[in-house]
């Protein structure tokens, strides 16, 4: 989805001074089977301009395939649309000198709020009936920190409002619209804990009846 110039300028101004790289637009049909909200793009997503294009994207596509969906059936976005990076000084044995690296990192609450106009705009345009949050960042952005992913993964939270920016755009309020929200572990979680593979597979099967 192409964001309006005014919206791009607004988020750019809100993001001043933050360690954020590039912009990766959300993508998918206007009336999707469901909306997927992730954390933030990584280096591969910023370079390819495709949401969930890297290794975690392959895992996400497996999950979608398990319930009969393809990338083209869903709208994919995230709480932050730029790549959050950190700056690390490290010694390279190969180059025999100190080098600076810029690895991915988790976005801060300030960065999430700075990019909140993007997600609010997308939800307003797409009007999804079902939102699947993948990972803690997406979950807390939409439902606050009253839920923990370890307790609610795979559960169907029906008829719930979600958080959106207030009129002053300096805090969140609950939306008048209500949605079905299904929290899921982030696809990348299996890279750190293989035991989650079967749990994630089962959790996604819980989504299947919702899209019939």
């Amino acid at each position: 989805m192409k964001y309006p110039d005014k919206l791009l300028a607004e988020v750019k101004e809100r993001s001043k001074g933050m360690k954020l790289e590039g912009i990766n637009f959300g993508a998918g049909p206007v009336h999707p089977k469901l909306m997927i909200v992730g954390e933030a793009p990584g280096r591969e997503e910023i370079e390819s301009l495709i949401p969930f294009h890297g290794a975690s994207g392959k895992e996400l596509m497996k999950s979608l395939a398990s319930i009969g969906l393809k990338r083209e059936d869903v709208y994919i976005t995230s709480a932050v649309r730029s790549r959050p990076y950190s700056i690390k000084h490290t010694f390279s044995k190969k180059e025999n000198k100190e080098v600076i690296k810029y690895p991915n990192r988790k976005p801060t609450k300030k960065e999430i709020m700075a990019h909140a106009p993007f997600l609010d705009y997308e939800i307003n345009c797409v009007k999804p009936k079902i939102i699947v949050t993948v990972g803690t960042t997406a979950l807390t952005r939409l439902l606050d920190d009253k839920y923990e992913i370890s307790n609610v993964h795979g559960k169907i939270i029906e008829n719930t409002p979600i958080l959106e920016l207030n009129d002053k755009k300096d805090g969140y309020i609950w939306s008048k619209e209500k949605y079905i929200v299904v929290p899921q572990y982030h696809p990348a979680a299996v890279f750190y804990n293989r035991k989650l593979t079967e749990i994630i597979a089962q959790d996604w099967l819980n989504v299947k009846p919702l899209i019939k």
Side-chain angles (χ1 to χ4, degrees):
M1 177 183 290
K2 181 72 174 177
Y3 305 139
D5 291 342
K6 185 178 179 180
L7 183 62
L8 284 166
E10 177 188 351
V11 174
K12 184 177 180 180
E13 179 64 27
R14 290 169 64 88
S15 304
K16 270 188 177 179
M18 298 178 180
K19 293 182 175 63
L20 298 170
E21 176 191 18
I23 182 73
N24 182 231
F25 298 105
V30 176
H31 301 293
K33 297 282 187 180
L34 54 85
M35 173 183 269
I36 296 171
V37 181
E39 181 175 273
R43 191 184 304 278
E44 288 192 51
E45 285 78 16
I46 289 299
E47 291 176 354
S48 68
L49 300 180
I50 300 172
F52 275 99
H53 185 245
S56 61
K58 292 179 181 178
E59 293 297 321
L60 179 60
M61 293 309 113
K62 289 179 188 176
S63 296
L64 289 177
S66 73
I67 59 171
L69 296 179
K70 303 186 295 294
R71 179 182 285 271
E72 294 76 19
D73 298 319
V74 302
Y75 189 92
I76 305 176
T77 186
S78 57
V80 172
R81 298 309 310 148
S82 297
R83 182 179 82 93
Y85 66 89
S86 56
I87 302 173
K88 291 193 175 181
H89 296 261
T90 184
F91 185 81
S92 170
K93 291 183 179 180
K94 185 177 180 180
E95 300 179 54
N96 195 33
K97 64 177 183 180
E98 186 180 80
V99 296
I100 302 175
K101 294 187 176 182
Y102 304 90
N104 299 336
R105 61 167 172 79
K106 185 175 181 177
T108 66
K109 288 186 177 181
K110 286 185 178 180
E111 290 164 345
I112 293 167
M113 184 171 285
H115 277 237
F118 281 153
L119 186 55
D120 286 356
Y121 175 81
E122 289 174 296
I123 292 173
N124 185 57
C125 290
V126 174
K127 295 180 172 31
K129 292 181 180 179
I130 306 164
I131 300 176
V132 176
T133 60
V134 289
T136 299
T137 297
L139 174 61
T140 55
R141 163 62 176 89
L142 292 182
L143 295 182
D144 206 349
D145 55 7
K146 61 183 178 182
Y147 293 106
E148 291 185 12
I149 191 67
S150 58
N151 295 329
V152 296
H153 63 88
K155 293 185 178 179
I156 299 166
I157 304 171
E158 297 188 74
N159 200 34
T160 180
I162 59 174
L163 291 173
E164 59 186 17
L165 280 179
N166 60 23
D167 290 339
K168 292 183 178 180
K169 298 189 176 182
D170 60 358
Y172 299 108
I173 57 174
W174 292 105
S175 66
K176 292 180 181 178
E177 292 293 326
K178 294 185 178 180
Y179 305 84
I180 296 173
V181 177
V182 187
Q184 303 279 23
Y185 280 112
H186 194 282
V190 297
F191 303 143
Y192 311 103
N193 185 356
R194 286 293 175 184
K195 292 179 181 179
L196 290 176
T197 302
E198 290 302 318
I199 294 174
I200 291 174
Q202 183 58 52
D203 285 349
W204 272 94
L205 291 179
N206 294 344
V207 180
K208 194 170 185 177
L210 301 176
I211 60 175
K212 294 283 186 172

